[in-house]
Amino acid sequence: MKMIILLVVKDSASVARLRSALDEYTVLFCTGKKEAVQMCQEHEVAIVLVEDSPRINGYETFVTLREQFPVLSGVLLTSSVENDLLVASFSAGFSGILKMPVQAEHLRTMVKQSIERKKLDDENVRLRTLLPLYSLGEQFLSSTTEKEVLEGLLESVAELTGSSHMSILLYDEKQASLHIAASRGMDKRLANSVRIAKGEHIAGWVFKHGKPVILNKEDQETTIFSPFLKRAEIVSAISCPLIIRDNIIGVLNISQTGTDERFSEADKEVISIVCGQAAMALENVRALRQVEEVTRTRTLLEQYMAPEVAQLLLVRETELMELGDIRKVTILFADIRNFTALVQQLELDRLRAFLNDFFNIFTDTIFQQQGTVDKFMGDAVLAMFGAPIANQNATFAAVNAALMIKQKFEKIHRQWRAKSDVFRNIDLGIGITSGNVFLGNVGSSRRFDYTVIGNEVNIAQRLAAESSHCRIYLTQSVRNDVHHLFHMERWGEMKLRGIEEPMVVYTIPALEKL
C-alpha cells in the first residue's frame, strides 16, 4: 500500500511529539517556506501541517504552496484561533485548524478527516478530467497515420492548456536519440536539427526516468533542471513521457510565455492522460502499418514461392535484401517446345490463354510440392526445391512435381489440340539436376530479384532443350538421391551446349513410383 506523506512546517521544538502522534504516516519536517516548496517538488506530499508563529507565517506559506500544488491539503497549527483567521484560512484551502499545543488525538483525527476529504476532492477532479477526455481518446484511436496522432495530440493540448509552444519528441533506436516529430511555435529548421540523447536536458531526463515534470518560473533555480533552463521568457513548462506498456517512446514538451499563468499538478495529470491516449493510438497505428507491410511482403513472396514457404520466411524475420548464400538445391526447368511456330500462327489473346493454362498447372504443382518458382521466361519456367527453406526430400519433391506436370500438360495439350490443329506439334521438355548454387538477391535495392545462379541452372535448361515427347531428363546426382523411389532408365551420354564434358542422363519412362 502506498504510504501517505505528510509535511510539517514548524520550528524544531516539539517535533518529536508530532512525529509520535503521526507514526502511521511518512512524515517530513522543514522549518521554512522555501524548504517546504522544495520538499513538495521532490515528494508526493498529500497534506501539509504548517505552524503559524512569529517566525513562520503559516497562512502565507500555505498560499505559496497551493499556487504551485493546487491539490495540496493543509492543516493550520496556531496558538490563537480568531474569526478572521478562520475565514481566511478556509478560503485559502486549509481543511482544518488546530490550536496549539496540539493534542495527539485531535491531531490524528484532523489528519484522517483531511485525508478523506482530499481523497473525495481528488476523485471529483479525476472524474471531471476523465469525462471530456473520453471523446479525445476516441479521436486518437480513429487516426490512421502517425502524423494524424501527433497533430491530434498537439491540438488537444493546445485546447486544454492554451499553450502555443509545444513539441513532440520520438526516440529513434538507430540514432539513439530523441528527435522532434511534430511541433508548434518552433522554427522548423531548429526543430529538424534537434537531437537529444537519453538523459540529456529536461526531455532526455524525462525520457530516461519516465516521469513528468513541472517547471514554474519561481522555482526553476531550485530544481535539478536549472542547468538546462536557457530560455528566460518561459514562465511555466511541462515535460511528459509518452509510454506504451512500460515502454517509453517519446516526450511531449509544452511551455507558456508572455503570461502570468502557471501549470499545476492538475494540468500535469491531464497531460499525462492525454499522452497515454496518444501513445496507445501510436501503438495501434504502428501495429496496423506492420500488418500492412507483412501483407505486402507476403503477397510479393507468394508470387515466387508456395504460401507455406513465404510464411516461414516471414516468421524468420529475415532481411530479404540480405538473403544470399550457397546452397545445395534441386533445379527443375520446363520448356514448351515448338512454341515459336505457335506464336506465328495463333492470335495473341488465345496465345495468352494457353500460356496461362500452362503456367497455372506448373505453379500449382510446384507450390504443392513445397517448391519455389524462380521465374517465368517466355515459354519456360525455372523452379527450385530445397530453398530458401531446407527440405531433406527436395529431389523427391522435384521429380514428383515433374511427373505431375507432365501428366497435366498432356491433358491440356489434348484440350487445346481439340480446339485448333496449330497445337498439334506443341511439346514439353523437362530437365532436373541438383547441386550447389548461389541463392539470394541479385540486382539492387531498387530491383529485388530472388533467384539462383550457377552451373546447375544451365544444365537443367540444356536438358529441357534436348527433351521431347514430354520426357523428363535427370542427371546422375538426381538419380543418386531418388533411384530407390522411382523406376529410372539410363538414356545415355549427352553433349550439352555450353557444358564441356558429356553427361550421363537418365529418364523416367512411366508415372508410377516404386
Side-chain angles (χ1 to χ4, degrees), residues 194-386:
V194 170
R195 293 294 183 272
I196 299 175
K198 186 186 299 185
E200 284 186 351
H201 306 294
I202 299 172
W205 187 95
V206 170
F207 179 81
K208 181 178 180 179
H209 295 86
K211 296 179 180 180
V213 297
I214 298 178
L215 294 171
N216 288 320
K217 196 174 185 66
E218 294 78 11
D219 57 285
Q220 288 179 359
E221 296 301 324
T222 63
T223 73
I224 61 173
F225 305 110
S226 57
F228 304 135
L229 299 170
K230 306 298 183 183
R231 297 175 57 194
E233 71 274 16
I234 295 179
V235 298
S236 189
I238 290 179
S239 188
C240 186
L242 296 170
I243 304 175
I244 300 175
R245 292 187 177 88
D246 297 327
N247 180 34
I248 305 172
I249 64 169
V251 176
L252 167 70
N253 291 325
I254 61 175
S255 59
Q256 298 278 27
T257 60
T259 177
D260 291 331
E261 295 183 11
R262 305 293 190 269
F263 289 123
S264 65
E265 290 293 321
D267 292 322
K268 184 178 76 172
E269 183 173 355
V270 170
I271 296 303
S272 296
I273 294 173
V274 174
C275 284
Q277 292 176 324
M280 288 177 58
L282 281 174
E283 182 182 38
N284 290 339
V285 167
R286 290 176 177 180
L288 178 61
R289 186 172 62 195
Q290 185 176 12
V291 169
E292 291 174 346
E293 290 175 355
V294 170
T295 300
R296 284 195 297 268
T297 303
R298 178 182 289 111
T299 300
L300 174 65
L301 291 176
E302 289 181 357
Q303 295 180 39
Y304 298 92
M305 59 193 69
E308 296 85 355
V309 177
Q311 178 62 25
L312 285 173
L313 271 178
L314 293 171
V315 170
R316 283 174 55 186
E317 297 182 351
T318 303
E319 175 57 52
L320 295 181
M321 291 303 300
E322 296 178 0
L323 285 177
D325 57 4
I326 296 175
R327 302 275 291 273
K328 181 180 179 181
V329 299
T330 302
I331 304 294
L332 186 155
F333 196 95
D335 183 12
I336 302 176
R337 311 304 305 280
N338 301 319
F339 185 74
T340 303
L342 186 66
V343 173
Q344 296 174 0
Q345 301 178 55
L346 200 63
E347 299 87 348
L348 291 179
D349 57 343
R350 298 190 68 192
L351 181 65
R352 175 178 176 274
F354 170 73
L355 283 177
N356 284 344
D357 274 357
F358 170 68
F359 289 144
N360 281 335
I361 66 169
F362 192 94
T363 304
D364 290 346
T365 304
I366 296 301
F367 285 2
Q368 183 181 341
Q369 297 298 315
Q370 302 300 302
T372 300
V373 175
D374 183 276
K375 58 175 63 71
F376 298 121
M377 297 180 288
D379 57 350
V381 185
L382 174 64
M384 56 187 167
F385 296 80

Side-chain angles (χ1 to χ4, degrees), residues 137-148:
E138 290 184 321
Q139 175 184 331
F140 281 135
L141 292 176
S142 65
S143 301
T144 57
T145 65
E146 279 198 17
K147 183 179 179 180
E148 287 183 19

